[in-house]
């Protein structure tokens, strides 16, 4: 899946701080409710799940339905326990996975 | 499509059998129609929204509580309605908001999204964008770590419908 997510979080943080993480991934989020010009149903194809983990521990997750707009945008918080890596994962219908790893920049 | 407004009062089966059947097919898709329960037409059938709500609640009675919900009162474009939810709660190992479910009362498919939180989330807060097919209520259902639920409801007027209709 050649999806390019956009991720925004503070450039640096410190342990105990609650930071905001913004993500946006380009995707049509085809609802499965529409029909093409010949009247045939257009099959559903959406990003159905998102997960954020930190060093293997769950931070936040989302189950998305066709009621979520195209190019799913998600903003959530994360209480930084210390240095480590965040992993963000998007799952499309059919099982294709896009994932990004971000190393936290901890202030000295 | 005015019939849709009566969904919770009139049995869904009645409506489907009615003159608007073609339009309803478009709205609900074939599989849902095929699954329509066979009941006495006089018995009111819960709307898809009510079914979805009950599925999450599993018999629990939600408390009506104040949930911070930022959403436009009037959405000009139902294809992308921004919203932000925040619930004032501790986020400790023993007491935290486990999930926030977002439902629409009239969309062809009531589920919008379900969000899961952990103490590592720091705050029970989320922002995203939803589709709204027409003017309706948005229902926020939050699940506490102890198993209780809180519910909050807000009407959003929609000028141009979403859901690719």
């Amino acid at each position: 899946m050649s999806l390019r997510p956009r991720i925004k979080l503070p450039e640096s943080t410190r342990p105990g701080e609650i930071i905001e993480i913004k993500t946006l991934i380009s995707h049509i989020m085809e609802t499965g409710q529409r029909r093409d010009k010949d009247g045939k149903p257009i099959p559903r194809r959406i990003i159905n799940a998102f997960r954020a983990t930190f060093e293997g521990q769950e931070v936040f997750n989302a189950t998305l339905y066709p009621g979520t707009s195209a190019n799913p945008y998600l903003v959530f918080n994360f209480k930084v326990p210390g240095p480590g890596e965040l992993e963000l994962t998007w799952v499309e219908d059919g099982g294709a996975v896009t994932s990004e790893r971000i190393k936290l920049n901890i202030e000295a | 499509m005015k019939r849709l407004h009566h969904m919770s009062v009139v049995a869904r089966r009645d409506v489907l059998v009615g003159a608007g059947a073609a339009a309803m097919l478009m709205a609900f898709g074939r599989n849902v129609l095929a699954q329509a329960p066979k009941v006495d037409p006089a018995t009111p059938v819960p709307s898809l929204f009510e079914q979805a709500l009950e599925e999450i609640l599993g018999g629990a009675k939600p408390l009506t509580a104040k949930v911070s919900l930022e959403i436009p009162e009037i959405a000009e474009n139902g294809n992308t309605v921004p919203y932000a939810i925040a619930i004032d709660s501790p986020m400790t190992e023993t007491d935290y908001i486990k999930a926030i479910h977002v439902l629409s009362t009239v969309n062809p498919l009531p589920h919008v999204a379900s969000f899961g939180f952990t103490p590592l989330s720091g705050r029970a807060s989320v922002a995203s964008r939803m589709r709204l097919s027409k003017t309706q209520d948005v229902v926020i259902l939050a699940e506490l770590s102890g198993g209780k639920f809180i519910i909050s409801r807000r009407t959003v007027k929609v000028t141009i419908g979403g859901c690719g209709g």
Side-chain angles (χ1 to χ4, degrees):
Chain A
M1 184 164 51
S2 61
L3 303 174
R4 279 167 299 142
R6 280 193 277 161
I7 302 157
K8 205 174 160 190
L9 70 169
E11 283 191 7
S12 68
T13 178
R14 43 181 204 279
E17 190 181 12
I18 297 175
I19 61 169
E20 188 177 72
I21 301 172
K22 293 182 181 179
T23 73
L24 186 134
I25 190 161
S26 300
H27 196 280
I28 185 170
M29 295 293 275
E30 185 61 60
T31 62
Q33 302 289 301
R34 299 195 307 157
R35 282 164 189 273
D36 63 18
K37 57 177 168 28
D38 303 320
K40 284 199 306 188
I42 304 171
R44 177 184 128 152
R45 191 166 68 89
I46 68 169
I47 300 276
N48 61 51
F50 170 81
R51 170 159 279 131
T53 57
F54 179 74
E55 297 296 319
Q57 280 193 293
E58 178 121 344
V59 173
F60 168 83
N61 72 71
T63 305
L64 305 179
Y65 298 92
T68 291
S69 303
N71 307 324
Y73 169 73
L74 290 169
V75 184
F76 59 96
N77 293 105
F78 169 46
K79 190 173 182 182
V80 178
E85 226 173 33
L86 267 171
E87 185 170 19
L88 309 184
T89 308
W90 292 258
V91 183
E92 191 189 28
D93 282 349
V97 168
T98 299
S99 87
E100 292 282 332
R101 299 180 75 91
I102 306 136
K103 195 168 179 243
L104 290 183
N105 184 10
I106 302 286
E107 283 169 23
Chain B
M1 293 301 279
K2 196 161 189 284
R3 262 175 213 93
L4 273 174
H5 292 296
H6 302 291
M7 285 307 282
S8 51
V9 206
V10 182
R12 189 166 83 238
R13 204 152 175 271
D14 280 1
V15 181
L16 288 172
V17 174
M24 296 306 292
L25 253 170
M26 292 282 288
F28 287 98
R30 280 201 182 122
N31 49 351
V32 176
L33 181 62
Q35 285 162 15
K38 287 195 169 95
V39 290
D40 180 342
T43 313
V45 174
S47 69
L48 291 175
F49 160 72
E50 286 162 337
Q51 290 175 35
L53 188 68
E54 197 40 51
E55 203 176 294
I56 297 168
L57 286 170
K61 292 267 176 287
L63 308 163
T64 304
K66 218 175 144 193
V67 168
S68 159
L69 171 63
E70 282 175 43
I71 193 165
E73 241 173 80
I74 300 172
E76 287 194 3
N77 180 359
N79 276 310
T80 170
V81 183
Y83 65 95
I85 306 162
I87 298 173
D88 195 13
S89 159
M91 291 298 273
T92 64
E93 291 294 336
T94 51
D95 184 9
Y96 64 100
I97 301 288
K98 215 168 112 183
I100 294 177
H101 306 276
V102 183
L103 298 171
S104 58
T105 51
V106 177
N107 272 3
L109 300 166
H111 278 289
V112 172
S114 288
F115 305 104
F117 303 90
T118 71
L120 268 185
S121 310
R123 250 178 227 136
S125 149
V126 64
S128 186
R129 294 167 185 156
M130 72 173 87
R131 289 173 165 139
L132 290 173
S133 60
K134 61 176 70 172
T135 296
Q136 60 183 294
D137 284 1
V138 169
V139 174
I140 308 299
L141 193 61
E143 194 175 344
L144 282 59
S145 55
K148 283 189 177 147
F149 286 91
I150 53 180
I151 195 166
S152 183
R153 208 172 162 124
R154 180 87 58 83
T155 304
V156 179
K157 289 198 176 106
V158 177
T159 320
I160 304 166
C163 291

